[in-house]
Amino acid sequence: MALPVRILTAVPICDGHDSAINTINLEFIRHGIEVVYLGYHRSVGDIVRAAIQEDVCAIGISSYNGGHIEFFADVVKQLRKRGADDIKVFGGGGGTITLADAMAMERKGVEKIFFAGTSLDEMADYVREKYGKPRKKRSRAKTRDIELARKLTQIEDRFAKSKRPASKGKIRNPKSAVRNSRVIGFTGPGGAGKTTLIDELVLRFLRQEPKARIAILSHDPSVVGEGALLGDRATMINSQDDRVFMRSMATRGQTGGLSPATEGCLRELIQGGFDYVIIETVGTGQEAMPFQKNGIVDLTVLVMNPDYGARLQLQKIVMLDLADIVVVNKTDQARARAAILEIERRLDQNKRAQQLVASVAKRHRDPGVDELFGLISGKQNVEALAAASAGHGKRRSPRRAPLQRRRRKR
Amino acid sequence: MSKLGQVVESVEKYNRFVLDQVKRARTDEKFGRELVDRWNEVKANTPIMRAPTGLELPRLALPEVDEPGEIARYLFGEGLPGQFPFLNGAYREMYLEPEREIETGSFGKNGHGKNGHAKNGKIDKKKIDKPAQAEEPTRLFSGLMLAEDTNERFHFLTAHQRTHRLSTAFDGPTLYGIDSDADGVFGKIGEGGVAIDTVEDMVRLYDGFDLGSPDFSASMTISGPAPIIMAMYIAAAKRRFGAKVVPKLRGTVQADIFKEVQAQNETIFPTEASLRFLTDMVEYTTREMPRWYPISISGYHIGEAGSTPVQQAAYTLSNGFAYAEMFVARGMSVDQFGPRLSFFLDCGLDVEYIALARVSRRIWAIGMRDAFGAGPRGQMFKLHTQTSGRSLVAAEFKNNLTRTAAELMLAYMNATNSSHSNSADEPFTTPTEEWIRLAAHGQAILLEESGIFKHTMNMLSGSPGMKAVERAVEAAILEEFREIERMGGVLAAVENRYQRSQIQSAAHRYEQQIYDGTRPIIALNKYCNQDDAPEVKLSRTPRSKQQLQIDRLTKFKKKNAEKAKRALAKLADVVERGDNCFPSLLEAVEVCSLGQITDRLQEVVGRFRPMV
């Protein structure tokens, strides 16, 4: 089976025109392309870093706000500078990029500019044909990010080529390699705010641990042999940082919220010397724990929405038995108080030291997220929790974040 | 139920009321007679005017009805121009030319069109207080390179106009609250709009214009950092004319956060914080600057992002009601802010545009009166219309003149209060003088040269087709309102990215229709010529100018370094405390750049997290 083509798309800095790229992304996906979408108003640095970490074949840039000659040329230049010039650059800007501009851009190393009136099929065909071929032998990776990114690609490709899991389990005990990596798994239903929550945690890691390096494996659903929109980066504004290595993965047909290649990639990241490795599953339902099998996740966090439905639904959520920390996010919603009480009672049945945190992740400096950050980063807590999840620890009462909304005075 | 639910109910109730009045007019003889008398009086008092060809026409066009029920349907259901529920116009005379050819009658009393009073050399104070009736509707959006270049363009555009109505486009860095010296924005300086970093740029931008004059108004199209830019405008005006000018300032700042989050993506602070800064500004300006419009509730960008016309109107109106609800919650009275709200819609070629603004005006009036208790001035939907930029294409671009002309016709049929006509070269460039001149002339040809709008108000209103579109569009807008209400109101729907998703899927469908040919675009997918791209002149900012902007900024920052630190600390403190931050912004802009203020505010309230 052919390997899925992976590309990154973005809109330049100071440009919010995302109507064209949204449509183009959908068409690319329909044509079997995996699109890592970085969003609008993105700097050259963000685009280049993301393209390298995601190890895409090409970057597509949609620009409607002028300054395109400089911007595209700068992307090409930065890719070269970082030894990643096997990543190609293409793009368009409707009528704003003239023929003369396009020629100037091509002279500066941009591979292709599409003009207004190009059909979406033509664009998708171009991308598949041009960037769908197996890569030629690649020159030696010049940076740590490039090397790691390529290894992850190899792992993904192995699974795409043969449906059989190719894990030969070379690393018997991955944790022994680098003791300091803390692996945290986030799961929960779609729309609960996992992505926002993780990004807010990353902001706190970066601020409070000035040297910490973080890796994120983020998953989005896809069907075998078909395209996917990998869009978490677009909203994870704090995670676009040189100390964060992020990789977006399509599940490529696997159920359970992860990709067949997740475990292999995770092992690779653990060896990469990151202080924290965060895995985010796709939005999940009532099925069991996605992280159970591999046994390398130190801490599991279930993120929930207050509107899960009737209380009975809680009995069906297996993850509530298994998670170390349960976060009820979006507690600014009407049903929040009742939800927290119900979940608290549900956790009581388990008689384990599970923690309950209430948060509003979208809020700047949210105390609930601070609390979660404390639980995840504080060594004591984590060890106690890890011990507890192995069935030893003593039960502690769930902690509750203050529920009342702080009223702003004016 | 949120206020939006109440708006839906009030429109439904009003529609029932109209039907009741129709029935009553037919059954209650006394009531019917009163209506007929009133109707005859209106007709009798309508002056007759003579077209240049000698043809005599009434100054106001009314339907040919004499039956009390139909009279009731018109007077209550539509209202005469300038009367509730304002279907036919927020004001009366609008585009009419001066009265010189007209035999006297009472209905045309304050009906001086443009040039009206200047001509007799006398200026009537009262008329100036009603500028929307006396000004040319032409308001052309412009902004390019540095402040002095845009200033030159402004003078070029207004050279022949009695009233100076400027409309300012800002460049990308300014729209995102970023300084020109920020990393990686060099090529964007002065592109697509003017670069503004400091109050000094703002002084240069409007140089030579009398900002306090009743014949001057400035519109600024910016939303994310709008309160900062507004503060800069006030500071610049004070530098040139002293503090006394502030209450005299006239104009509009867009400041529409909801549509940014829904469609245009130029938000820089989290939604709630943005709304708070907006409310701070509205509270200040409605108190200190009674002639300023501190928000322009905009559907244009929703339309341009690809929504259907109904979505455009529905989201714009519901955003408007949400703002009103928010301002009331802050403690402002609806009669304080209501008259200071203005609207901005797109006008494209889809059939809905025959009546989109008319229907919007009616829903707004009923909602504001019955759900918010607004007085007459707070019921008026004062509208700026821009022809659709998205409808213009690069292929055989001169066709864009025809597209824009047709859209302008529709805009005037909808009695827009002001309008911008796009330049035909817009698919490739910030408009160049040649094409912007043709765009401006397009408006003059329709309004001044042609007899379509200048002799008779209401000239093209009320055709059976227009009525059919009105009914269909109103029903569809109310259905959208109900959907938003089911989601818990506008803010909840925004957070669930409802409007965004709807707009995106409409945009996707539009593109597919173009590609599969079901939506013909002449010279793009039908009657195409194989010729290559046209030779056009481009307006681009030279690197030397971009460097000049950075040099100016560096100098400003150096000069004010110490003062800036103090001003920013004070601002942050006020924001942290939750007080109205606008007065501190006014102080800060004297010594801080746009980017410095944005950065400091983001430290306190966070950055906007984009929605996909």
Side-chain angles (χ1 to χ4, degrees):
Chain A
M1 175 171 287
L3 299 176
V5 186
R6 265 171 75 88
I7 63 165
L8 178 125
T9 60
V11 177
I13 195 159
C14 299
D15 193 342
H17 295 84
D18 65 348
S19 178
I21 196 67
N22 281 329
T23 294
I24 293 167
N25 282 343
L26 290 179
E27 286 300 314
F28 281 167
I29 295 160
R30 210 168 58 80
H31 283 81
I33 298 165
E34 284 183 6
V35 180
V36 180
Y37 177 49
L38 188 57
Y40 55 83
H41 184 35
R42 302 325 289 247
S43 69
V44 170
D46 283 357
I47 291 173
V48 169
R49 184 193 309 108
I52 288 173
Q53 294 180 352
E54 300 286 356
D55 195 27
V56 293
C57 305
I59 302 171
I61 300 173
S62 175
S63 162
Y64 280 81
N65 223 7
H68 38 263
I69 300 180
E70 290 85 350
F71 194 86
F72 277 70
D74 204 16
V75 172
V76 173
K77 198 173 120 193
Q78 294 300 326
L79 283 170
R80 276 189 194 142
K81 205 172 140 193
R82 300 191 195 190
D85 48 359
D86 58 341
I87 299 175
K88 302 300 174 201
V89 179
F90 69 98
T96 66
I97 303 181
T98 64
L99 194 60
D101 289 349
M103 278 154 59
M105 291 155 85
E106 279 163 20
R107 274 196 302 276
K108 290 174 189 245
V110 175
E111 193 153 273
K112 171 88 180 168
I113 294 296
F114 291 104
F115 293 102
T118 313
S119 83
L120 296 168
D121 286 336
E122 194 182 324
M123 256 182 252
D125 288 345
Y126 175 88
V127 168
R128 276 199 314 192
E129 236 163 74
K130 192 88 183 171
Y131 309 122
K133 295 180 205 132
R135 274 172 159 149
K136 286 182 226 139
K137 194 160 164 49
R138 305 170 80 175
S139 57
R140 208 173 58 82
K142 286 195 182 123
T143 65
R144 193 162 55 169
D145 272 11
I146 294 179
E147 194 183 340
L148 181 56
R150 287 183 184 177
K151 276 188 189 154
L152 300 187
T153 306
Q154 283 166 9
I155 294 168
E156 271 201 298
D157 285 354
R158 270 209 299 278
F159 281 92
K161 277 181 197 149
S162 63
K163 282 281 289 159
R164 260 180 310 123
S167 110
K168 285 270 185 262
K170 274 182 195 156
I171 316 154
R172 280 272 166 252
N173 183 2
K175 298 290 290 183
S176 67
V178 183
R179 289 237 36 107
N180 294 334
S181 251
R182 192 166 299 154
V183 184
I184 307 146
F186 282 80
T187 188
K194 295 186 291 297
T195 311
T196 304
L197 191 65
I198 292 171
D199 194 49
E200 282 296 312
L201 288 170
V202 168
L203 177 68
R204 287 160 175 80
F205 284 130
L206 293 176
R207 287 218 175 134
Q208 297 187 22
E209 302 186 31
K211 289 206 172 129
R213 287 175 67 237
I214 300 158
I216 302 171
L217 263 190
S218 156
H219 293 80
D220 277 301
S222 77
V223 175
V224 183
E226 291 189 12
L229 179 67
L230 308 171
D232 284 343
R233 274 184 185 270
T235 54
M236 298 181 77
I237 43 177
N238 301 310
S239 303
Q240 312 307 311
D241 188 285
D242 283 338
R243 286 197 279 139
V244 182
F245 183 97
M246 177 166 173
R247 183 70 170 225
S248 312
M249 298 179 80
T251 56
R252 296 186 178 173
Q254 174 157 304
T255 54
L258 298 173
S259 143
T262 303
E263 191 176 335
C265 290
L266 190 53
R267 285 169 194 275
E268 205 58 62
L269 291 174
I270 288 170
Q271 292 193 68
F274 293 97
D275 299 77
Y276 297 94
V277 178
I278 294 172
I279 321 169
E280 179 189 359
T281 69
V282 304
T284 51
Q286 297 165 341
E287 62 268 57
M289 166 78 99
F291 306 120
Q292 256 173 339
K293 279 181 283 177
N294 52 48
I296 32 183
V297 174
D298 295 309
L299 199 62
T300 55
V301 181
L302 170 66
V303 186
M304 293 185 65
N305 226 328
D307 60 355
Y308 45 78
R311 195 162 64 93
L312 184 66
Q313 295 298 324
L314 291 180
Q315 293 303 330
K316 304 184 193 169
I317 302 174
V318 182
M319 270 303 296
L320 277 172
D321 299 319
L322 304 172
D324 300 310
I325 301 174
V326 176
V327 178
V328 186
N329 191 31
K330 303 193 177 179
T331 48
D332 55 338
Q333 287 182 359
R335 236 188 70 82
R337 183 175 286 274
I340 289 166
L341 288 173
E342 286 175 6
I343 292 171
E344 198 175 4
R345 262 181 237 132
R346 169 73 172 78
L347 293 180
D348 276 349
Q349 298 169 6
N350 296 340
K351 305 205 185 318
R352 284 179 49 224
Q354 289 169 296
Q355 300 273 345
L356 181 62
V357 177
S359 69
V360 185
K362 66 166 186 189
R363 199 185 283 158
H364 189 54
R365 298 189 298 201
D366 178 63
V369 180
D370 287 341
E371 187 190 348
L372 180 63
F373 174 72
L375 286 176
I376 289 175
S377 64
K379 280 195 167 68
Q380 248 186 333
N381 278 336
V382 170
E383 275 155 21
L385 278 169
S389 38
H392 303 299
K394 269 191 187 165
R395 166 158 179 78
R396 284 177 303 165
S397 68
R399 296 160 56 154
R400 242 174 273 157
L403 269 181
Q404 71 275 16
R405 296 179 66 173
R406 283 176 306 165
R407 284 275 147 105
R408 213 186 280 128
K409 270 197 343 203
R410 54 179 83 95
Chain B
M1 196 190 323
S2 85
K3 277 283 182 190
L4 194 59
Q6 292 175 35
V7 169
V8 174
E9 281 192 350
S10 64
V11 175
E12 287 166 341
K13 198 170 150 202
Y14 190 80
N15 289 344
R16 284 196 301 274
F17 164 79
V18 173
L19 291 181
D20 286 348
Q21 298 307 301
V22 172
K23 210 183 281 171
R24 189 176 152 216
R26 286 172 181 161
T27 50
D28 177 341
E29 219 171 290
K30 187 166 163 264
F31 181 60
R33 225 178 11 253
E34 275 169 24
L35 283 172
V36 173
D37 288 348
R38 199 175 138 205
W39 188 247
N40 288 335
E41 200 188 317
V42 169
K43 286 208 283 194
N45 285 332
T46 299
I48 303 298
M49 61 81 47
R50 203 184 296 274
T53 52
L55 187 71
E56 287 188 357
L57 283 170
R59 189 89 160 149
L60 166 69
L62 291 172
E64 289 286 309
V65 292
D66 54 8
E67 186 272 319
E70 288 311 309
I71 293 172
R73 196 191 304 280
Y74 189 83
L75 289 177
F76 294 106
E78 302 192 14
L80 295 167
Q83 287 181 13
F84 188 85
F86 303 104
L87 183 78
N88 289 306
Y91 297 101
R92 298 198 307 196
E93 283 73 12
M94 306 279 302
Y95 316 132
L96 296 190
E97 70 174 2
E99 275 180 77
R100 58 196 144 80
E101 297 257 342
I102 300 162
E103 292 159 33
T104 49
S106 70
F107 194 81
K109 241 189 229 158
N110 54 0
H112 293 276
K114 52 164 202 78
N115 300 332
H117 15 87
K119 228 164 209 167
N120 352 341
K122 270 194 285 178
I123 291 187
D124 184 334
K125 263 254 155 68
K126 258 171 93 186
K127 277 158 205 155
I128 290 165
D129 285 342
K130 295 187 170 140
Q133 294 182 36
E135 284 176 304
E136 294 105 325
T138 307
R139 192 193 269 284
L140 290 179
F141 186 42
S142 36
L144 71 167
M145 304 195 225
L146 307 193
E148 59 270 30
D149 305 296
T150 301
N151 181 267
E152 195 183 309
R153 174 68 61 89
F154 283 151
H155 284 287
F156 168 80
L157 286 172
T158 54
H160 304 293
Q161 292 195 311
R162 186 185 57 80
T163 57
H164 293 164
R165 307 179 85 185
L166 310 183
S167 172
T168 319
F170 296 95
D171 70 358
T174 309
L175 291 172
Y176 282 95
I178 296 175
D179 277 344
S180 295
D181 62 359
D183 229 14
V185 305
F186 189 84
K188 301 272 180 187
I189 301 172
E191 283 293 322
V194 59
I196 298 294
D197 292 308
T198 68
V199 62
E200 292 173 1
D201 295 328
M202 198 60 103
V203 168
R204 274 189 284 274
L205 181 60
Y206 299 108
D207 186 43
F209 290 103
D210 182 2
L211 304 190
S213 156
D215 286 333
F216 177 87
S217 73
S219 161
M220 294 182 284
T221 300
I222 191 160
S223 290
I228 311 172
I229 291 291
M230 181 76 238
M232 277 189 191
Y233 183 84
I234 297 171
K238 281 204 263 186
R239 283 189 182 195
R240 290 180 53 209
F241 302 98
K244 274 200 214 135
V245 77
V246 176
K248 290 193 250 168
L249 296 175
R250 292 181 60 226
T252 311
V253 61
Q254 191 168 69
D256 183 354
I257 296 302
F258 283 133
K259 71 98 171 114
E260 292 295 345
V261 180
Q262 291 160 358
Q264 208 186 2
N265 302 329
E266 286 160 5
T267 323
I268 55 180
F269 307 113
T271 312
E272 276 179 41
S274 296
L275 292 171
R276 176 218 163 168
F277 295 149
L278 165 70
T279 310
D280 287 353
M281 174 176 75
V282 171
E283 201 173 28
Y284 180 90
T285 58
T286 52
R287 195 177 59 225
E288 308 291 335
M289 298 158 67
R291 313 176 69 161
W292 192 269
Y293 292 101
I295 184 167
S296 166
I297 302 157
S298 305
Y300 188 80
H301 319 84
I302 294 173
E304 291 293 295
S307 79
T308 66
V310 163
Q311 288 167 348
Q312 185 201 159
Y315 301 157
T316 309
L317 287 163
S318 54
N319 291 348
F321 289 123
Y323 286 126
E325 198 175 350
M326 203 170 76
F327 300 150
V328 169
R330 173 65 72 98
M332 284 182 255
S333 97
V334 69
D335 289 318
Q336 179 192 343
F337 69 79
R340 304 325 298 166
L341 304 179
S342 64
F343 290 85
F344 175 24
L345 290 180
D346 198 356
C347 188
L349 292 170
D350 280 312
V351 66
E352 289 92 330
Y353 289 109
I354 288 176
L356 197 74
R358 294 166 59 81
V359 173
S360 302
R361 199 156 46 224
R362 185 176 185 272
I363 292 176
W364 182 253
I366 297 169
M368 286 303 278
R369 191 189 75 169
D370 297 345
F372 284 88
R377 290 181 61 236
Q379 298 161 10
M380 280 191 240
F381 181 90
K382 280 163 283 187
L383 175 66
H384 175 73
T385 304
Q386 181 168 342
T387 59
S388 167
R390 169 171 216 266
S391 71
L392 307 186
V393 293
E396 295 191 51
F397 78 103
K398 289 176 189 169
N399 283 328
N400 293 337
L401 289 171
T402 310
R403 294 187 177 101
T404 300
E407 289 161 358
L408 265 183
M409 266 295 284
L410 293 175
Y412 296 141
M413 281 165 63
N414 279 271
T416 188
N417 301 94
S418 67
S419 50
H420 168 99
S421 39
N422 289 324
S423 297
D425 58 350
E426 248 164 281
F428 351 91
T429 173
T430 300
T432 53
E433 286 192 0
E434 178 189 358
W435 294 101
I436 205 170
R437 199 172 147 76
L438 295 183
H441 282 176
Q443 299 204 26
I445 289 169
L446 282 174
L447 290 181
E448 297 173 38
E449 188 174 319
S450 94
I452 306 172
F453 298 102
K454 69 177 173 182
H455 303 314
T456 298
M457 71 185 99
N458 224 12
M459 189 63 129
L460 295 176
S461 299
S463 72
M466 181 182 271
K467 302 312 295 172
V469 173
E470 281 169 9
R471 283 190 296 270
V473 163
E474 183 185 283
I477 290 175
L478 292 183
E479 193 44 47
E480 271 293 342
F481 282 4
R482 288 187 200 101
E483 188 63 31
I484 294 170
E485 170 69 13
R486 278 193 283 272
M487 268 174 259
V490 170
L491 193 58
V494 165
E495 282 178 0
N496 286 325
R497 57 190 299 288
Y498 168 70
Q499 292 95 335
R500 274 187 88 79
S501 310
Q502 294 294 105
I503 295 166
Q504 282 173 8
S505 53
H508 193 217
R509 188 176 59 185
Y510 182 95
E511 292 300 325
Q512 278 175 333
Q513 287 169 342
I514 291 176
Y515 289 115
D516 68 23
T518 49
R519 180 179 277 275
I521 309 283
I522 303 310
L524 183 69
N525 65 2
K526 203 171 188 185
Y527 313 133
C528 302
N529 198 337
Q530 290 307 309
D531 282 353
D532 273 343
E535 277 297 316
V536 285
K537 225 176 106 188
L538 297 182
S539 166
R540 294 268 168 85
T541 312
R543 291 184 72 89
S544 59
K545 281 188 187 283
Q546 294 172 327
Q547 191 54 52
L548 175 63
Q549 183 66 18
I550 292 179
D551 294 343
R552 282 174 176 166
L553 175 63
T554 312
K555 220 168 118 191
F556 178 91
K557 281 185 179 168
K558 206 172 151 195
K559 180 173 73 187
N560 295 303
E562 275 310 305
K563 287 182 191 155
K565 223 180 272 171
R566 282 197 299 276
L568 290 173
K570 186 178 167 199
L571 175 66
D573 190 47
V574 170
V575 172
E576 197 83 62
R577 278 208 312 272
D579 295 342
N580 187 322
C581 70
F582 199 75
S584 316
L585 270 180
L586 278 174
E587 288 169 28
V589 295
E590 293 285 352
V591 290
C592 304
S593 68
L594 172 62
Q596 287 175 321
I597 296 175
T598 304
D599 289 349
R600 193 69 190 85
L601 289 176
Q602 284 181 335
E603 278 173 34
V604 184
V605 301
R607 286 192 289 160
F608 179 71
R609 186 180 299 283
M611 296 187 189
V612 179

